[in-house]
Amino acid sequence: MNYQLNKGGNGMRTNVWDVRNYVEDLSTYPHVQEIITGFKAGETIAIPTETVYGLAADATNNKAVAAIFKAKGRPQDNPLIVHIHHQSQLEWFTHDIHAAAYKLMDHFWPGPISFIVPVQQGVLAESVTAGLNTVAVRMPAHKVAHQLIEMTDLLLAAPSANTSGKPSPTKAEHVIHDMDGKIFGIVQSEQVEVGIESTVVDCSQYPFRIARPGAITRNDLEAVVPGCMSDEHIMGDKPIAPGMKYRHYAPDSPLELVDYFESLELSPNEAVIAPLSEKDKVNGGWFFALGATYEDSSGAMYDLYNALRSADNIEQIEKIYITDFTPYNGSDALMNRINKAVTRK
Ligand code: TXA
Ligand code: MG
């Protein structure tokens, strides 16, 4: 199915291409050429990946990349991730990748992980790297993303497809909410599998460092190449991924962390986002599930952004509480996102 949003509005007409029945072989989707031609012409198109939906465009086209920044309202000093479908594409725009980085790529790609490596000058649009001498690269595993990159034979720059500062989109409807009328099109698939953005590993110096935690952990990396990860704590005050200095993933209503509770009384304009196991302890207000139990970090990652957006969409809700997983669950990535979303006092 294909339809256009925003008919008669002031903005751009945004195509929605529903490819849910064509995921296995996208070449059989009747409108696939519109998507391919759009990318080649420098249009911005949102696509599903297994982490979150991305807002993609030709990474070598200055205008196309500028349109990504504009649609998101993204600060210019925050570089983008370049998406590839095959390791041979690395030769087009990177150089001198560390042997240990190749080992990690071989093991974890395609998948929810990005590697920061030295960039060749003069290939990518300058704003992709924000003028740095490195570039973040990812090979997504999502079949739709993978096939689109292959069919276009382009390097696709893609940040998460949300308005800057808002929770990343895990469903096509989230992208439509933020991007209708601002981009050329949206490739609609199911809710994404992982639910939070990729792990970003800085491989520009050895040992490597985690620039942004994700579903693939430091221990997972160490298990593949022992000693490859620095002990340095990067989640302190000085973020090495420029994007990490901004408040992120934030709903419009104030969001506050809440500790484990035996029972919780809420007023009709309050909501709590907590593991489903805690639902019966909550009286009044609104409840949104965040995984099954406190131990279920992958379930919580899957639910997080949809829960934040769902709570925000209910006008009556003026205050949101979210549970602190720290004592129960070793996931840096989950608490990293929750801490960035909570309202600073
Ligand atoms: O899962 C993901 O990574 C998604 C999907 C669409 O691939 N993309 C994503 O992109 O989350 P974005 O732009 O929302 O986040 C990219 C992060 C930012 O924190 C940015 O600062 C960092 O990666 N980054 C990109 N290039 C970098 C570089 N050369 N050096 C340091 N950090 C970099
Ligand atoms: Mg983002």
Side-chain angles (χ1 to χ4, degrees):
M1 192 176 66
N2 161 260
Y3 60 95
Q4 289 186 331
L5 295 163
N6 199 35
K7 284 197 173 41
N10 295 324
M12 196 186 285
R13 284 187 175 189
T14 298
N15 294 285
V16 178
W17 295 288
D18 182 352
V19 301
R20 281 176 287 186
N21 293 325
Y22 305 91
V23 169
E24 293 301 320
D25 184 359
L26 211 55
S27 70
T28 61
Y29 175 59
H31 299 277
V32 73
Q33 278 311 322
E34 292 172 27
I35 306 171
I36 306 300
T37 312
F39 274 127
K40 290 191 169 163
E43 300 285 1
T44 49
I45 299 174
I47 61 170
T49 85
E50 71 275 25
T51 54
V52 299
Y53 277 75
L55 180 53
D58 177 357
T60 65
N61 180 325
N62 281 307
K63 273 195 188 155
V65 175
I68 293 179
F69 280 86
K70 181 160 185 245
K72 282 182 60 81
R74 181 176 177 108
Q76 285 292 331
D77 65 349
N78 195 3
L80 308 182
I81 297 173
V82 173
H83 295 71
I84 61 175
H85 71 88
H86 194 273
Q87 276 197 34
S88 62
Q89 288 182 292
L90 289 170
E91 292 163 23
W92 305 355
F93 68 109
T94 67
H95 66 90
D96 294 300
I97 295 177
H98 196 286
Y102 276 120
K103 280 193 187 147
L104 296 174
M105 290 171 183
D106 288 341
H107 191 273
F108 292 105
W109 274 356
I113 185 162
S114 304
F115 298 96
I116 296 172
V117 297
V119 69
Q120 287 176 34
Q121 295 304 314
V123 182
L124 303 174
E126 210 167 309
S127 53
V128 169
T129 57
L132 300 170
N133 55 13
T134 55
V135 61
V137 194
R138 174 166 173 232
M139 188 193 294
H142 195 290
K143 285 183 177 147
V144 172
H146 203 89
Q147 291 174 83
L148 284 175
I149 306 167
E150 190 167 10
M151 290 163 103
T152 57
D153 204 29
L154 292 172
L155 302 170
L156 291 182
S160 49
N162 51 291
T163 300
S164 203
K166 293 290 132 198
S168 293
T170 55
K171 296 181 175 190
E173 67 188 69
H174 300 158
V175 185
I176 292 170
H177 178 273
D178 283 14
M179 292 297 156
D180 177 25
K182 297 183 177 169
I183 62 175
F184 182 69
I186 297 167
V187 180
Q188 174 170 25
S189 192
E190 305 292 350
Q191 177 166 353
V192 299
E193 270 168 65
V194 177
I196 66 163
E197 306 80 357
S198 63
T199 306
V200 179
V201 189
D202 183 356
C203 301
S204 64
Q205 49 178 291
Y206 198 85
F208 305 150
R209 294 181 300 169
I210 302 277
R212 179 177 70 185
I216 295 174
T217 65
R218 186 183 178 283
N219 287 348
D220 296 334
L221 298 166
E222 277 283 322
V224 174
V225 183
C228 74
M229 298 306 298
S230 159
D231 290 331
E232 203 178 318
H233 268 281
I234 55 88
M235 300 322 301
D237 291 339
K238 279 217 180 100
I240 57 174
M244 301 306 283
K245 70 178 181 243
Y246 300 105
R247 184 177 179 225
H248 255 148
Y249 325 117
D252 291 329
S253 309
L255 180 72
E256 195 176 302
L257 265 188
V258 58
D259 288 331
Y260 179 86
F261 50 84
E262 286 299 342
S263 74
L264 191 64
E265 300 289 331
L266 296 180
S267 71
N269 54 9
E270 291 178 323
V272 65
I273 302 176
L276 190 58
S277 55
E278 312 307 292
K279 188 170 189 207
D280 292 344
K281 302 177 182 174
V282 180
N283 295 304
W286 303 77
F287 182 90
F288 298 92
L290 192 54
T293 63
Y294 276 102
E295 286 75 32
D296 177 19
S297 54
S298 52
M301 287 179 201
Y302 182 83
D303 289 335
L304 177 64
Y305 293 144
N306 187 52
L308 290 170
R309 282 179 177 263
S310 300
D312 236 7
N313 283 344
I314 295 171
E315 207 161 321
Q316 205 183 346
I317 298 177
E318 288 166 4
K319 180 77 193 267
I320 311 170
Y321 297 95
I322 189 163
T323 46
D324 187 352
F325 283 75
T326 314
Y328 309 99
N329 160 330
S331 173
D332 292 353
L334 177 63
M335 281 316 296
N336 169 268
R337 302 307 193 277
I338 292 175
N339 282 324
K340 285 202 174 296
V342 298
T343 311
R344 304 220 175 103
K345 295 212 179 91

